[in-house]
Amino acid sequence: MFTRRSVLAAAAATAWLPARAQPPGFPSRPVRIVPFGTAGGPIDTLARVYGDKLAARWGQPVVVDAKPGASGIIAADFVAKAPADGHTVMFTLPLTHVNNHILQAKLPYDPVRDFQPLSMLATGGPMLVARANAPYANVSEFIAFAKTKGRMTYGTWGSGSTAHLFGELLRRQTGTDLVHVAYKSEAAAHNDLFGDAIDFAWANPSTARNHTQAGKLKVLGIAGTGRVSTMPNVPTFKEQGFQGFDIDSWIGVYAPAKTPEPVVQAWTAALREITAMPDVQARLTAFGFEPLGNTPAQFMERYRADYPRMAELIKAAGVTAE
């Protein structure tokens, strides 16, 4: 099921698409996609979906090479230092290109100067989840329980991630004792949740849906600007009376800075065409994202809009670099 927003995004993407002209000699060898996070995670999986489409389009192998660790810094540094010829790109989340820039006093790369935005593929938001047998069904009931219980631990896929920021914002707003535990992956956090090592967690919508259908989890609320079509009964934090959580996450694709403009155009055209494909839109929606597929200029405009809001959220959440 597609939302009106996703249908409009698809129409906008296809309206922009230029002809399939490729710059001479590109790609001349296998293409490498470096996704945020671990192999098998949502971004890695989506990178493989796009990789298959790109390989068919360009007639060159596309290798998905996950480089997890350090909240995306390892992957970003690798791509920043790759040859600027379009044969290496990164699929990433705001943690790498917005949050880390605010949280870290010194990075081995500059998120603006060292990268060329290609396209923002989709937007979405993380979900607050608990074990299926938890004695609360929504955010308000959870907070009431937390105030009675005292200290509660929660897991996310990294320090400084949007999920971590939302968790700390919730702690500050409600005066509850919520303690963050950073994991290398979403799956690792959920394994500890199932094993009672932590009390609750955050999840991407696709993970939350799968575990909910399996009877392992319940979803208390979703951050971001709206509900997701795959779990339409899950209300947003704003709908439940909690402010400051209406910031979307996104999936973006970057190349190294100084990538030639014809190659940038070839990448952007390919990514937007693929994003507009019905089967790819279905995969994005299944992962809880709203398909977008914008231009480099629109991507940078969104980055500039998100940066001050994320800085404000980080300040409100009281999060510092670890």
Side-chain angles (χ1 to χ4, degrees):
M1 182 177 80
F2 297 107
T3 63
R4 180 174 180 269
R5 181 177 164 193
S6 66
V7 171
L8 290 175
T14 53
W16 181 87
L17 293 174
R20 272 179 165 247
Q22 287 293 112
F26 178 80
S28 60
R29 60 180 187 278
V31 172
R32 185 193 305 263
I33 295 176
V34 180
F36 172 92
T38 56
I43 307 305
D44 178 79
T45 300
L46 288 171
R48 294 177 190 280
V49 170
Y50 278 80
D52 290 344
K53 300 287 189 182
L54 289 165
R57 177 188 177 106
W58 286 341
Q60 286 283 357
V62 177
V63 178
V64 178
D65 183 14
K67 296 188 179 298
S71 299
I73 294 173
I74 294 172
D77 189 44
F78 178 86
V79 174
K81 293 176 171 59
D85 57 11
H87 288 86
T88 301
V89 301
M90 176 173 62
F91 276 47
T92 192
L93 297 171
L95 170 58
T96 298
H97 260 65
V98 182
N99 303 15
N100 280 341
H101 194 197
I102 300 167
L103 285 165
Q104 303 286 342
K106 190 173 183 180
L107 291 170
Y109 57 86
D110 185 286
V112 175
R113 186 183 64 242
D114 294 338
F115 293 88
Q116 167 63 54
L118 299 175
S119 183
M120 186 181 291
L121 307 180
T123 61
M127 290 181 161
L128 182 66
V129 297
R131 286 183 291 276
N133 62 355
Y136 34 81
N138 55 49
V139 180
S140 294
E141 291 179 2
F142 164 74
I143 294 302
F145 179 88
K147 288 182 176 180
T148 301
K149 182 179 184 293
R151 186 177 185 270
M152 296 183 71
T153 54
Y154 70 96
T156 73
W157 45 89
S159 178
S161 64
T162 305
H164 177 205
L165 298 180
F166 286 143
E168 293 304 289
L169 180 61
L170 188 64
R171 177 183 66 82
R172 286 204 166 195
Q173 279 191 5
T174 60
T176 45
D177 187 10
L178 309 179
V179 180
H180 178 240
V181 182
Y183 290 84
K184 290 184 177 180
S185 68
E186 181 185 26
H190 294 161
N191 285 338
D192 270 7
L193 178 62
F194 301 145
D196 293 339
I198 57 176
D199 296 299
F200 66 102
W202 292 81
N204 288 303
S206 62
T207 309
R209 184 191 59 184
N210 292 340
H211 288 321
T212 298
Q213 291 175 342
K216 294 181 177 181
L217 290 181
K218 65 172 64 174
V219 183
L220 310 180
I222 182 170
T225 57
R227 300 190 184 197
V228 296
S229 56
T230 52
M231 299 186 76
N233 294 327
V234 178
T236 65
F237 274 77
K238 186 174 183 179
E239 288 175 299
Q240 298 185 62
F242 295 87
Q243 304 302 315
F245 296 84
D246 56 337
I247 301 176
D248 284 327
S249 186
W250 43 258
I251 305 171
V253 185
Y254 286 91
K258 300 181 181 179
T259 297
E261 183 60 26
V263 175
V264 170
Q265 292 178 5
W267 261 107
T268 301
L271 291 169
R272 298 191 68 178
E273 180 178 294
I274 292 168
T275 301
M277 293 178 177
D279 61 325
V280 175
Q281 293 231 329
R283 293 299 294 273
L284 287 165
T285 304
F287 274 108
F289 289 100
E290 294 293 334
L292 183 59
N294 61 15
T295 67
Q298 291 167 334
F299 191 172
M300 182 55 70
E301 182 181 359
R302 179 64 179 267
Y303 175 91
R304 292 193 179 107
D306 279 356
Y307 191 91
R309 288 210 66 197
M310 292 306 301
E312 182 181 348
L313 175 58
I314 288 170
K315 181 179 179 181
V319 174
T320 58
E322 296 181 4

